[in-house]
Structure formats: structure tokens, C-alpha cells
Amino acid sequence: RKEVEQDPGPFNVPEGATVAFNCTYSNSASQSFFWYRQDCRKEPKLLMSVYSSGNEDGRFTAQLNRASQYISLLIRDSKLSDSATYLCVVKSGGFKTIFGAGTRLFVKA
Amino acid sequence: SQTIHQWPATLVQPVGSPLSLECTVEGTSNPNLYWYRQAAGRGLQLLFYSVGIGQISSEVPQNLSASRPQDRQFILSSKKLLLSDSGFYLCAWTPGQSSEKLFFGSGTQLSVL
């Protein structure tokens, strides 16, 4: 089993749609959780951290379920510019940061 | 502000040739430095990390090596490239172990032919 698993997609959605991605992780001792965004052939960039209480940043909402060991990202009112690959990232302490393979999103006009 | 520079952006090398990728960080001191590789359609794999000059930890056995000759310089090398070394190589830094967020360089797309 992979340490961090994501549905690779792609998710094809129209502009204005709401889309949700899930991610599961295997290490129950994981401490920190993030979503990164990666455009094609570019470096990943931090989108948002994920907190146990859930957190929101504009159109983006992230949630963490420690009991079920999954993380989610919700994007509301999708924009064309949201098209990218979204990476689920889990840190288990020390230097061990595990990246999921990513979920591809295409937002179409 | 802190910046990270990585070069070259793309590289095409024949099998058996040597490799040297360089990464430098500006605007900070004593960063933790990392080399990741991303194969097509796969997640980022941590190759090496360094907490200080001359201190290198390897995460996976491979055909590559890393060095940190200066505080803010991290180099990825190979004496003889293999086809399987092809991929997108990313340098990253964090201010320290307690810092959780990784900041990446712009990456090097390496094609070994």
C-alpha cells in the first residue's frame, strides 16, 4: 500500500463547478498535512496547510479526518486557472515528507 | 526574501555520461536542503536531504550522490547516468526541521538517452 494515495483523475469540470479531491495516508503517526499545486513541468507550490478543525482559504477548503486517515480539498466556483495537478502531502516528523502522485484537474469553459 | 535557484532547466544527456545539477538558496542561513525526483505520472521521491555543510542523508539506494560544499549550495551528481535516471529533479529547502513547508526550485527536466 502506498503511504499516500490519491485518485489520479483527471477530473474534468466546467467553470463554476465545485470539485472535491480526497487523499488517504497509511501512517497514523503523521503529523502535518498539506495540499500543493503543481502546473505542468513546474515546481509544486504550497496551496494550503490542512488542520484538524478544517480550514478555508477563499474558494478552497481543506479538511482532515485523523480517525479515517484521509484529507480532502474542496474547490468552489472553479476557474480556468485552477487547472493543475493537486498533490496531497503528509509529514510524519523529521525530514520524511511524503507526496502523493497527484490528482489532475481540468477546468473547461 | 528567500529565493532558491536551480539549474539547468532542461538537460539531455547520453547514457553513461556524468551529471551535475546545482541548487543555491539566497536570503537565509543554515537551511535544510532536499533533492527530489518526480518520474512521469508519479509522486515526488525524496533522494537526499542535508541539515548542514557536508551532512548528506540518502533516502534510497541509487546511482546518484549529493554534496553540500557550502551552507546554501546543494549539488546532485552522477558519475554514469542510466536511462532510469530520467525525470524531473527538484531542489527544495526549509528553514529548519520544525518548519513544515517546502519551497521548491524551478526544477530540472533530465532526459537520459
Side-chain angles (χ1 to χ4, degrees):
Chain A
R1 182 185 175 188
K2 292 181 181 177
E3 293 185 78
V4 177
E5 293 203 64
Q6 296 182 249
D7 180 346
F11 285 66
N12 294 286
V13 303
E15 272 187 294
T18 296
V19 62
F21 309 137
N22 289 327
C23 164
T24 58
Y25 60 95
S26 60
N27 185 353
S28 59
S30 298
Q31 300 173 354
S32 306
F33 309 88
F34 309 90
W35 284 101
Y36 278 70
R37 172 197 166 123
Q38 185 176 24
D39 293 296
C40 188
R41 297 186 179 276
K42 299 290 186 181
E43 74 274 23
K45 294 182 179 178
L46 179 65
L47 179 64
M48 60 195 304
S49 302
V50 186
Y51 303 118
S52 297
S53 55
N55 49 297
E56 188 174 307
D57 182 1
R59 298 180 293 108
F60 299 84
T61 300
Q63 293 199 320
L64 166 65
N65 184 321
R66 286 189 184 272
S68 301
Q69 294 181 207
Y70 82 78
I71 307 151
S72 65
L73 176 67
L74 181 78
I75 305 176
R76 292 183 299 278
D77 188 23
S78 298
K79 311 292 185 188
L80 293 175
S81 57
D82 292 334
S83 296
T85 297
Y86 290 84
L87 307 176
C88 175
V89 181
V90 175
K91 191 169 189 282
S92 301
F95 300 96
K96 196 167 179 66
T97 300
I98 307 297
F99 285 76
T103 299
R104 296 187 71 186
L105 171 66
F106 294 100
V107 181
K108 299 180 185 289
Chain B
S1 63
Q2 300 89 1
T3 56
I4 178 169
H5 302 279
Q6 184 183 340
W7 66 93
T10 59
L11 193 58
V12 180
Q13 293 284 101
V15 170
S17 64
L19 173 73
S20 181
L21 302 181
E22 189 162 342
C23 172
T24 59
V25 181
E26 295 179 356
T28 188
S29 59
N30 198 31
N32 291 335
L33 298 172
Y34 308 80
W35 277 110
Y36 282 86
R37 176 171 60 203
Q38 187 176 34
R42 302 185 67 179
L44 275 70
Q45 179 186 35
L46 179 61
L47 302 176
F48 301 95
Y49 67 87
S50 172
V51 300
I53 296 173
Q55 300 179 61
I56 309 294
S57 297
S58 175
E59 282 294 293
V60 294
Q62 59 206 313
N63 184 42
L64 303 168
S65 62
S67 62
R68 185 169 177 174
Q70 299 181 45
D71 181 45
R72 291 171 291 173
Q73 184 185 29
F74 205 22
I75 298 171
L76 184 69
S77 304
S78 174
K79 292 181 179 178
K80 289 186 177 181
L81 285 169
L82 305 172
L83 287 174
S84 57
D85 291 325
S86 295
F88 190 46
Y89 288 82
L90 290 153
C91 181
W93 75 279
T94 60
Q97 182 175 344
S98 61
S99 177
E100 302 174 329
K101 300 169 187 174
L102 284 162
F103 300 94
F104 287 91
S106 54
T108 296
Q109 183 65 51
L110 172 65
S111 298
V112 183
L113 306 177

